[in-house]
């Protein structure tokens, strides 16, 4: 698909899932937006639509957002059935309208997973992720004041590998794209971050068991290695970390 030229305008139809709350009836609602700058992000297009709805006395579309720089993980929904939309390594807040063709219809719907219950419209409750993190606990080693930077030697490759895992923003695209609604990529990335650094060693085994158990308790499915999570991840976190997590559970 060829992108629209820079500084052009585009007209789109947004087919948005509308549901006032859990247990309420829901359905798709179409809205036509004309002559939008292709330099706008999809979230900015939703802002314009919400402004129009508010001026008409209608309920605005609920969607999550915060930094709008692709680093906080707050935003996220399905665009034409794809988590975060058609552009690889991109969160939906960084998905610009120049990625689409004039006249396109975009179907927007929330993450679909039992463990991520709907709040309203495009917003889901990702509290399960917070509870998984809490189950992992913290690094209990008393480090005192900030240590001298070179006191704890960490190899460059080791640090880079830990950082790769730490880039997970917890957006839940991995869950939404998985046929089993598994959170394995999220949990594996969080475990691999601390598990590769000296500070994470004291609770390493306990942390892995606790977080995986909490993942199951929250109702997430198991991993069946279809790798859709890796394809949908806006930070391109490798599914190899899931294998790493399984080895952790077996004791390394």
């Amino acid at each position: 698909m060829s992108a629209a030229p820079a500084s052009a305008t585009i007209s789109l139809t947004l087919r948005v899932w509308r549901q006032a709350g859990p247990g309420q009836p829901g359905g798709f609602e179409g809205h036509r937006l004309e002559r939008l700058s292709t330099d706008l992000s999809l979230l900015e297009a939703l802002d314009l639509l919400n402004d129009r709805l508010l001026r008409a006395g209608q309920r605005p579309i609920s969607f999550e957002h915060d930094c709008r720089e692709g680093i906080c993980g707050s935003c996220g929904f399905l665009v034409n059935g794809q988590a975060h939309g058609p552009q690889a390594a991109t969160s939906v807040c960084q998905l610009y309208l120049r990625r689409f063709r004039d006249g396109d219809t975009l179907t927007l719907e929330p993450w679909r997973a039992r463990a991520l219950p709907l709040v309203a419209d495009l917003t889901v409750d990702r509290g399960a992720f917070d509870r998984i993190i809490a189950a992992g606990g913290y690094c209990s080693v008393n480090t005192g004041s900030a240590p001298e930077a070179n006191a704890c030697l960490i190899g460059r490759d080791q640090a880079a590998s830990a950082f790769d895992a730490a880039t997970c923003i917890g957006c839940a695209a991995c869950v939404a794209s998985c046929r089993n609604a598994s959170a394995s990529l999220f949990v594996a990335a969080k475990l691999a971050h601390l598990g590769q650094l000296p500070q994470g060693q004291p609770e390493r085994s306990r942390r892995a068991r606790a977080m995986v158990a909490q993942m199951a308790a929250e109702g997430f499915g198991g991993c069946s290695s279809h790798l859709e999570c890796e394809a949908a991840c806006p930070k391109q976190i490798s599914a190899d970390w899931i294998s790493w997590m399984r080895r952790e559970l077996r004791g390394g």
Side-chain angles (χ1 to χ4, degrees):
M1 179 185 294
S2 59
S7 303
T9 60
I10 191 172
S11 296
L12 296 170
T13 297
L14 300 185
R15 185 170 170 261
V16 187
W17 181 262
R18 298 284 267 158
Q19 187 172 349
Q24 299 295 313
F28 287 103
E29 187 177 276
H31 296 275
R32 182 72 175 173
L33 296 175
E34 304 282 351
R35 298 186 60 79
L36 298 169
S37 168
T38 55
D39 291 331
L40 292 175
S41 71
L42 183 53
L43 292 196
E44 289 170 327
L46 283 172
D47 287 338
L48 292 175
L49 175 54
N50 273 347
D51 183 62
R52 190 171 84 184
L53 291 172
L54 285 167
R55 284 189 278 110
Q58 300 177 44
R59 183 175 66 83
I61 297 164
S62 174
F63 64 96
E64 287 193 273
H65 61 92
D66 191 3
C67 74
R68 301 202 179 205
E69 295 177 347
I71 57 176
C72 75
S74 294
C75 67
F77 46 79
L78 298 170
V79 182
N80 291 344
Q82 291 180 274
H84 288 298
Q87 187 165 318
T90 305
S91 58
V92 74
C93 65
Q94 294 287 288
L95 182 62
Y96 291 93
L97 301 189
R98 54 181 171 266
R99 181 62 180 78
F100 304 104
R101 291 181 182 272
D102 186 44
D104 275 354
T105 294
L106 307 183
T107 298
L108 313 181
E109 55 186 315
W111 299 150
R112 304 289 190 181
R114 184 179 63 180
L116 304 174
L118 183 94
V119 175
D121 301 333
L122 304 179
T123 303
V124 299
D125 181 357
R126 288 176 294 179
F129 274 16
D130 296 330
R131 292 187 290 273
I132 291 171
I133 293 295
Y138 55 90
C139 294
S140 63
V141 176
N142 183 7
T143 57
S145 59
E148 153 58 36
N150 295 318
C152 184
L153 298 179
I154 302 174
R156 188 171 108 179
D157 291 344
Q158 181 185 8
S161 182
F163 183 80
D164 285 345
T167 58
C168 171
I169 56 177
C171 66
C174 53
V175 177
S177 62
C178 176
R179 62 167 57 188
N180 303 327
S182 174
S184 291
L185 187 63
F186 165 76
V187 176
K190 297 305 180 184
L191 288 172
H193 168 207
L194 284 176
Q196 296 181 84
L197 297 174
Q199 297 89 338
Q201 299 311 304
E203 294 88 14
R204 180 173 170 176
S205 296
R206 186 208 62 80
R207 180 177 295 113
R209 292 192 300 272
M211 291 179 68
V212 171
Q214 186 65 37
M215 173 175 63
E218 295 291 344
F220 291 104
C223 173
S224 53
S225 300
H226 282 79
L227 305 184
E228 290 294 334
C229 56
E230 181 182 281
C233 179
K235 295 303 178 182
Q236 296 186 298
I237 294 173
S238 173
D240 288 347
W241 292 121
I242 299 176
S243 299
W244 185 95
M245 176 178 69
R246 289 168 174 165
R247 291 194 297 272
E248 284 289 283
L249 292 173
R250 294 195 302 266

mmCIF file of all heavy atoms in Angstrom, residues 111-151:
data_model
loop_
_atom_site.group_PDB
_atom_site.id
_atom_site.type_symbol
_atom_site.label_atom_id
_atom_site.label_comp_id
_atom_site.label_asym_id
_atom_site.label_seq_id
_atom_site.Cartn_x
_atom_site.Cartn_y
_atom_site.Cartn_z
ATOM 1 N N TRP A 111 -9.208 -3.900 22.610
ATOM 2 C CA TRP A 111 -8.601 -5.209 22.813
ATOM 3 C C TRP A 111 -9.698 -6.189 23.228
ATOM 4 O O TRP A 111 -10.565 -5.868 24.035
ATOM 5 C CB TRP A 111 -7.554 -5.168 23.922
ATOM 6 C CG TRP A 111 -6.349 -4.301 23.818
ATOM 7 C CD1 TRP A 111 -5.689 -3.741 24.877
ATOM 8 C CD2 TRP A 111 -5.579 -3.928 22.655
ATOM 9 N NE1 TRP A 111 -4.589 -3.040 24.451
ATOM 10 C CE2 TRP A 111 -4.496 -3.135 23.085
ATOM 11 C CE3 TRP A 111 -5.732 -4.175 21.287
ATOM 12 C CZ2 TRP A 111 -3.556 -2.600 22.215
ATOM 13 C CZ3 TRP A 111 -4.803 -3.631 20.402
ATOM 14 C CH2 TRP A 111 -3.732 -2.866 20.865
ATOM 15 N N ARG A 112 -9.619 -7.395 22.698
ATOM 16 C CA ARG A 112 -10.625 -8.415 23.025
ATOM 17 C C ARG A 112 -9.953 -9.533 23.818
ATOM 18 O O ARG A 112 -9.231 -10.359 23.258
ATOM 19 C CB ARG A 112 -11.234 -8.985 21.746
ATOM 20 C CG ARG A 112 -11.863 -7.949 20.812
ATOM 21 C CD ARG A 112 -13.147 -7.379 21.354
ATOM 22 N NE ARG A 112 -13.859 -6.578 20.353
ATOM 23 C CZ ARG A 112 -14.995 -5.955 20.568
ATOM 24 N NH1 ARG A 112 -15.571 -6.018 21.766
ATOM 25 N NH2 ARG A 112 -15.579 -5.254 19.615
ATOM 26 N N ALA A 113 -10.143 -9.562 25.111
ATOM 27 C CA ALA A 113 -9.584 -10.610 25.960
ATOM 28 C C ALA A 113 -10.342 -10.602 27.284
ATOM 29 O O ALA A 113 -10.626 -9.532 27.836
ATOM 30 C CB ALA A 113 -8.101 -10.390 26.214
ATOM 31 N N ARG A 114 -10.643 -11.777 27.790
ATOM 32 C CA ARG A 114 -11.385 -11.886 29.048
ATOM 33 C C ARG A 114 -10.650 -11.203 30.195
ATOM 34 O O ARG A 114 -11.267 -10.606 31.082
ATOM 35 C CB ARG A 114 -11.629 -13.353 29.375
ATOM 36 C CG ARG A 114 -12.483 -13.578 30.627
ATOM 37 C CD ARG A 114 -12.716 -15.055 30.880
ATOM 38 N NE ARG A 114 -11.458 -15.765 31.146
ATOM 39 C CZ ARG A 114 -11.386 -17.065 31.398
ATOM 40 N NH1 ARG A 114 -12.485 -17.802 31.374
ATOM 41 N NH2 ARG A 114 -10.215 -17.631 31.637
ATOM 42 N N ALA A 115 -9.334 -11.279 30.185
ATOM 43 C CA ALA A 115 -8.552 -10.698 31.276
ATOM 44 C C ALA A 115 -8.395 -9.186 31.151
ATOM 45 O O ALA A 115 -7.831 -8.553 32.046
ATOM 46 C CB ALA A 115 -7.170 -11.357 31.329
ATOM 47 N N LEU A 116 -8.870 -8.613 30.040
ATOM 48 C CA LEU A 116 -8.817 -7.164 29.827
ATOM 49 C C LEU A 116 -10.247 -6.666 29.618
ATOM 50 O O LEU A 116 -10.644 -6.330 28.498
ATOM 51 C CB LEU A 116 -7.943 -6.828 28.609
ATOM 52 C CG LEU A 116 -6.512 -7.348 28.623
ATOM 53 C CD1 LEU A 116 -5.829 -7.055 27.290
ATOM 54 C CD2 LEU A 116 -5.717 -6.738 29.779
ATOM 55 N N PRO A 117 -11.052 -6.608 30.664
ATOM 56 C CA PRO A 117 -12.469 -6.277 30.508
ATOM 57 C C PRO A 117 -12.688 -4.860 29.981
ATOM 58 O O PRO A 117 -11.920 -3.936 30.269
ATOM 59 C CB PRO A 117 -13.025 -6.434 31.931
ATOM 60 C CG PRO A 117 -11.843 -6.273 32.830
ATOM 61 C CD PRO A 117 -10.677 -6.836 32.073
ATOM 62 N N LEU A 118 -13.730 -4.719 29.219
ATOM 63 C CA LEU A 118 -14.061 -3.428 28.630
ATOM 64 C C LEU A 118 -14.470 -2.424 29.699
ATOM 65 O O LEU A 118 -15.192 -2.764 30.641
ATOM 66 C CB LEU A 118 -15.195 -3.594 27.619
ATOM 67 C CG LEU A 118 -15.579 -2.312 26.892
ATOM 68 C CD1 LEU A 118 -14.834 -2.217 25.570
ATOM 69 C CD2 LEU A 118 -17.089 -2.243 26.655
ATOM 70 N N VAL A 119 -14.010 -1.191 29.538
ATOM 71 C CA VAL A 119 -14.472 -0.073 30.363
ATOM 72 C C VAL A 119 -15.538 0.700 29.590
ATOM 73 O O VAL A 119 -16.658 0.882 30.051
ATOM 74 C CB VAL A 119 -13.308 0.846 30.754
ATOM 75 C CG1 VAL A 119 -13.815 2.075 31.516
ATOM 76 C CG2 VAL A 119 -12.283 0.094 31.602
ATOM 77 N N ALA A 120 -15.171 1.149 28.396
ATOM 78 C CA ALA A 120 -16.111 1.828 27.500
ATOM 79 C C ALA A 120 -15.443 2.005 26.144
ATOM 80 O O ALA A 120 -14.239 2.295 26.065
ATOM 81 C CB ALA A 120 -16.522 3.188 28.051
ATOM 82 N N ASP A 121 -16.206 1.815 25.087
ATOM 83 C CA ASP A 121 -15.739 2.063 23.714
ATOM 84 C C ASP A 121 -14.421 1.356 23.414
ATOM 85 O O ASP A 121 -14.370 0.141 23.350
ATOM 86 C CB ASP A 121 -15.640 3.573 23.450
ATOM 87 C CG ASP A 121 -16.962 4.295 23.633
ATOM 88 O OD1 ASP A 121 -18.013 3.645 23.462
ATOM 89 O OD2 ASP A 121 -16.952 5.496 23.954
ATOM 90 N N LEU A 122 -13.328 2.138 23.284
ATOM 91 C CA LEU A 122 -12.021 1.585 22.938
ATOM 92 C C LEU A 122 -11.125 1.384 24.157
ATOM 93 O O LEU A 122 -9.952 1.043 24.018
ATOM 94 C CB LEU A 122 -11.312 2.509 21.939
ATOM 95 C CG LEU A 122 -12.065 2.819 20.646
ATOM 96 C CD1 LEU A 122 -11.253 3.761 19.762
ATOM 97 C CD2 LEU A 122 -12.416 1.545 19.884
ATOM 98 N N THR A 123 -11.676 1.585 25.347
ATOM 99 C CA THR A 123 -10.898 1.525 26.588
ATOM 100 C C THR A 123 -11.138 0.205 27.316
ATOM 101 O O THR A 123 -12.289 -0.208 27.493
ATOM 102 C CB THR A 123 -11.278 2.690 27.522
ATOM 103 O OG1 THR A 123 -11.066 3.925 26.843
ATOM 104 C CG2 THR A 123 -10.447 2.668 28.790
ATOM 105 N N VAL A 124 -10.054 -0.446 27.720
ATOM 106 C CA VAL A 124 -10.160 -1.665 28.522
ATOM 107 C C VAL A 124 -9.392 -1.488 29.835
ATOM 108 O O VAL A 124 -8.541 -0.606 29.963
ATOM 109 C CB VAL A 124 -9.606 -2.897 27.768
ATOM 110 C CG1 VAL A 124 -10.385 -3.150 26.492
ATOM 111 C CG2 VAL A 124 -8.117 -2.749 27.472
ATOM 112 N N ASP A 125 -9.709 -2.333 30.782
ATOM 113 C CA ASP A 125 -9.050 -2.317 32.087
ATOM 114 C C ASP A 125 -7.833 -3.228 32.030
ATOM 115 O O ASP A 125 -7.960 -4.452 31.916
ATOM 116 C CB ASP A 125 -10.028 -2.790 33.157
ATOM 117 C CG ASP A 125 -9.432 -2.795 34.560
ATOM 118 O OD1 ASP A 125 -8.228 -2.483 34.707
ATOM 119 O OD2 ASP A 125 -10.162 -3.139 35.510
ATOM 120 N N ARG A 126 -6.623 -2.644 32.126
ATOM 121 C CA ARG A 126 -5.396 -3.428 32.100
ATOM 122 C C ARG A 126 -4.804 -3.607 33.495
ATOM 123 O O ARG A 126 -3.606 -3.813 33.662
ATOM 124 C CB ARG A 126 -4.376 -2.763 31.165
ATOM 125 C CG ARG A 126 -4.741 -2.911 29.693
ATOM 126 C CD ARG A 126 -3.785 -2.167 28.805
ATOM 127 N NE ARG A 126 -3.898 -0.734 29.016
ATOM 128 C CZ ARG A 126 -3.164 0.170 28.373
ATOM 129 N NH1 ARG A 126 -2.270 -0.211 27.501
ATOM 130 N NH2 ARG A 126 -3.324 1.453 28.611
ATOM 131 N N GLY A 127 -5.672 -3.562 34.491
ATOM 132 C CA GLY A 127 -5.222 -3.744 35.866
ATOM 133 C C GLY A 127 -4.571 -5.095 36.103
ATOM 134 O O GLY A 127 -3.755 -5.238 37.021
ATOM 135 N N ALA A 128 -4.909 -6.091 35.289
ATOM 136 C CA ALA A 128 -4.281 -7.410 35.432
ATOM 137 C C ALA A 128 -2.772 -7.324 35.265
ATOM 138 O O ALA A 128 -2.020 -8.034 35.948
ATOM 139 C CB ALA A 128 -4.867 -8.382 34.408
ATOM 140 N N PHE A 129 -2.312 -6.455 34.379
ATOM 141 C CA PHE A 129 -0.868 -6.278 34.201
ATOM 142 C C PHE A 129 -0.230 -5.728 35.472
ATOM 143 O O PHE A 129 0.857 -6.152 35.866
ATOM 144 C CB PHE A 129 -0.599 -5.326 33.030
ATOM 145 C CG PHE A 129 -0.559 -6.002 31.682
ATOM 146 C CD1 PHE A 129 -1.067 -7.269 31.491
ATOM 147 C CD2 PHE A 129 0.000 -5.358 30.590
ATOM 148 C CE1 PHE A 129 -1.025 -7.888 30.252
ATOM 149 C CE2 PHE A 129 0.057 -5.964 29.348
ATOM 150 C CZ PHE A 129 -0.457 -7.233 29.180
ATOM 151 N N ASP A 130 -0.905 -4.784 36.100
ATOM 152 C CA ASP A 130 -0.379 -4.216 37.345
ATOM 153 C C ASP A 130 -0.291 -5.284 38.435
ATOM 154 O O ASP A 130 0.670 -5.320 39.211
ATOM 155 C CB ASP A 130 -1.269 -3.062 37.822
ATOM 156 C CG ASP A 130 -1.278 -1.889 36.866
ATOM 157 O OD1 ASP A 130 -0.263 -1.678 36.175
ATOM 158 O OD2 ASP A 130 -2.295 -1.190 36.806
ATOM 159 N N ARG A 131 -1.277 -6.148 38.495
ATOM 160 C CA ARG A 131 -1.271 -7.189 39.526
ATOM 161 C C ARG A 131 -0.179 -8.229 39.250
ATOM 162 O O ARG A 131 0.402 -8.781 40.195
ATOM 163 C CB ARG A 131 -2.656 -7.844 39.606
ATOM 164 C CG ARG A 131 -3.723 -6.898 40.156
ATOM 165 C CD ARG A 131 -5.044 -7.595 40.399
ATOM 166 N NE ARG A 131 -5.724 -7.978 39.168
ATOM 167 C CZ ARG A 131 -6.553 -7.178 38.491
ATOM 168 N NH1 ARG A 131 -6.772 -5.937 38.898
ATOM 169 N NH2 ARG A 131 -7.160 -7.621 37.394
ATOM 170 N N ILE A 132 0.108 -8.486 37.992
ATOM 171 C CA ILE A 132 1.217 -9.386 37.660
ATOM 172 C C ILE A 132 2.541 -8.776 38.108
ATOM 173 O O ILE A 132 3.391 -9.457 38.704
ATOM 174 C CB ILE A 132 1.233 -9.690 36.153
ATOM 175 C CG1 ILE A 132 0.032 -10.565 35.776
ATOM 176 C CG2 ILE A 132 2.534 -10.383 35.756
ATOM 177 C CD1 ILE A 132 -0.152 -10.747 34.282
ATOM 178 N N ILE A 133 2.728 -7.500 37.835
ATOM 179 C CA ILE A 133 3.950 -6.814 38.264
ATOM 180 C C ILE A 133 4.064 -6.824 39.787
ATOM 181 O O ILE A 133 5.129 -7.095 40.359
ATOM 182 C CB ILE A 133 3.972 -5.372 37.740
ATOM 183 C CG1 ILE A 133 4.097 -5.343 36.214
ATOM 184 C CG2 ILE A 133 5.117 -4.574 38.364
ATOM 185 C CD1 ILE A 133 5.386 -5.886 35.674
ATOM 186 N N ALA A 134 2.958 -6.554 40.462
ATOM 187 C CA ALA A 134 2.975 -6.548 41.928
ATOM 188 C C ALA A 134 3.331 -7.918 42.483
ATOM 189 O O ALA A 134 4.027 -8.029 43.508
ATOM 190 C CB ALA A 134 1.631 -6.085 42.472
ATOM 191 N N ALA A 135 2.873 -8.971 41.815
ATOM 192 C CA ALA A 135 3.185 -10.320 42.273
ATOM 193 C C ALA A 135 4.675 -10.607 42.209
ATOM 194 O O ALA A 135 5.205 -11.401 42.995
ATOM 195 C CB ALA A 135 2.423 -11.353 41.434
ATOM 196 N N GLY A 136 5.362 -9.945 41.283
ATOM 197 C CA GLY A 136 6.805 -10.141 41.167
ATOM 198 C C GLY A 136 7.603 -9.526 42.289
ATOM 199 O O GLY A 136 8.764 -9.879 42.497
ATOM 200 N N GLY A 137 6.985 -8.606 43.018
ATOM 201 C CA GLY A 137 7.686 -7.993 44.142
ATOM 202 C C GLY A 137 8.721 -6.980 43.689
ATOM 203 O O GLY A 137 8.671 -6.446 42.580
ATOM 204 N N TYR A 138 9.702 -6.746 44.546
ATOM 205 C CA TYR A 138 10.711 -5.728 44.279
ATOM 206 C C TYR A 138 12.081 -6.301 44.610
ATOM 207 O O TYR A 138 12.208 -7.407 45.147
ATOM 208 C CB TYR A 138 10.446 -4.478 45.119
ATOM 209 C CG TYR A 138 10.349 -4.755 46.599
ATOM 210 C CD1 TYR A 138 11.474 -4.701 47.404
ATOM 211 C CD2 TYR A 138 9.129 -5.095 47.185
ATOM 212 C CE1 TYR A 138 11.396 -4.974 48.768
ATOM 213 C CE2 TYR A 138 9.042 -5.367 48.542
ATOM 214 C CZ TYR A 138 10.175 -5.301 49.324
ATOM 215 O OH TYR A 138 10.081 -5.565 50.656
ATOM 216 N N CYS A 139 13.112 -5.546 44.280
ATOM 217 C CA CYS A 139 14.480 -5.970 44.616
ATOM 218 C C CYS A 139 14.745 -5.601 46.066
ATOM 219 O O CYS A 139 14.833 -4.418 46.410
ATOM 220 C CB CYS A 139 15.498 -5.280 43.696
ATOM 221 S SG CYS A 139 15.364 -5.778 41.973
ATOM 222 N N SER A 140 14.864 -6.601 46.917
ATOM 223 C CA SER A 140 14.929 -6.343 48.355
ATOM 224 C C SER A 140 16.324 -6.009 48.863
ATOM 225 O O SER A 140 16.501 -5.679 50.021
ATOM 226 C CB SER A 140 14.403 -7.567 49.119
ATOM 227 O OG SER A 140 15.232 -8.689 48.880
ATOM 228 N N VAL A 141 17.348 -6.111 48.021
ATOM 229 C CA VAL A 141 18.704 -5.827 48.465
ATOM 230 C C VAL A 141 18.804 -4.357 48.871
ATOM 231 O O VAL A 141 18.419 -3.458 48.124
ATOM 232 C CB VAL A 141 19.721 -6.148 47.354
ATOM 233 C CG1 VAL A 141 21.118 -5.761 47.790
ATOM 234 C CG2 VAL A 141 19.662 -7.619 46.999
ATOM 235 N N ASN A 142 19.297 -4.114 50.066
ATOM 236 C CA ASN A 142 19.440 -2.739 50.550
ATOM 237 C C ASN A 142 20.651 -2.100 49.886
ATOM 238 O O ASN A 142 21.793 -2.369 50.254
ATOM 239 C CB ASN A 142 19.589 -2.749 52.079
ATOM 240 C CG ASN A 142 19.657 -1.339 52.631
ATOM 241 O OD1 ASN A 142 19.475 -0.360 51.911
ATOM 242 N ND2 ASN A 142 19.910 -1.232 53.921
ATOM 243 N N THR A 143 20.383 -1.275 48.906
ATOM 244 C CA THR A 143 21.489 -0.675 48.146
ATOM 245 C C THR A 143 21.985 0.627 48.751
ATOM 246 O O THR A 143 22.995 1.166 48.308
ATOM 247 C CB THR A 143 21.051 -0.406 46.695
ATOM 248 O OG1 THR A 143 19.883 0.438 46.706
ATOM 249 C CG2 THR A 143 20.721 -1.704 45.984
ATOM 250 N N GLY A 144 21.258 1.163 49.733
ATOM 251 C CA GLY A 144 21.686 2.417 50.343
ATOM 252 C C GLY A 144 21.589 3.565 49.361
ATOM 253 O O GLY A 144 20.674 3.634 48.539
ATOM 254 N N SER A 145 22.542 4.469 49.428
ATOM 255 C CA SER A 145 22.530 5.611 48.506
ATOM 256 C C SER A 145 22.981 5.144 47.124
ATOM 257 O O SER A 145 23.414 4.011 46.934
ATOM 258 C CB SER A 145 23.448 6.719 49.023
ATOM 259 O OG SER A 145 24.768 6.233 49.154
ATOM 260 N N ALA A 146 22.893 6.034 46.180
ATOM 261 C CA ALA A 146 23.256 5.693 44.804
ATOM 262 C C ALA A 146 24.706 5.222 44.745
ATOM 263 O O ALA A 146 25.616 5.914 45.195
ATOM 264 C CB ALA A 146 23.077 6.907 43.902
ATOM 265 N N PRO A 147 24.941 4.009 44.211
ATOM 266 C CA PRO A 147 26.306 3.478 44.187
ATOM 267 C C PRO A 147 27.143 4.130 43.097
ATOM 268 O O PRO A 147 26.618 4.732 42.156
ATOM 269 C CB PRO A 147 26.093 1.988 43.890
ATOM 270 C CG PRO A 147 24.827 1.965 43.086
ATOM 271 C CD PRO A 147 23.978 3.068 43.653
ATOM 272 N N GLU A 148 28.434 4.016 43.243
ATOM 273 C CA GLU A 148 29.354 4.440 42.191
ATOM 274 C C GLU A 148 29.034 3.642 40.920
ATOM 275 O O GLU A 148 28.835 2.431 40.948
ATOM 276 C CB GLU A 148 30.791 4.199 42.660
ATOM 277 C CG GLU A 148 31.823 3.959 41.600
ATOM 278 C CD GLU A 148 31.951 5.096 40.580
ATOM 279 O OE1 GLU A 148 31.809 6.269 40.961
ATOM 280 O OE2 GLU A 148 32.160 4.765 39.408
ATOM 281 N N ALA A 149 28.929 4.323 39.800
ATOM 282 C CA ALA A 149 28.458 3.726 38.551
ATOM 283 C C ALA A 149 29.275 2.512 38.135
ATOM 284 O O ALA A 149 28.756 1.575 37.540
ATOM 285 C CB ALA A 149 28.462 4.768 37.445
ATOM 286 N N ASN A 150 30.568 2.494 38.439
ATOM 287 C CA ASN A 150 31.427 1.399 38.010
ATOM 288 C C ASN A 150 31.636 0.330 39.076
ATOM 289 O O ASN A 150 32.429 -0.587 38.889
ATOM 290 C CB ASN A 150 32.796 1.952 37.577
ATOM 291 C CG ASN A 150 32.675 2.840 36.354
ATOM 292 O OD1 ASN A 150 31.943 2.527 35.428
ATOM 293 N ND2 ASN A 150 33.398 3.965 36.353
ATOM 294 N N ALA A 151 30.906 0.449 40.207
ATOM 295 C CA ALA A 151 31.108 -0.505 41.294
ATOM 296 C C ALA A 151 30.551 -1.881 40.959
ATOM 297 O O ALA A 151 31.060 -2.898 41.425
ATOM 298 C CB ALA A 151 30.464 0.026 42.581
#
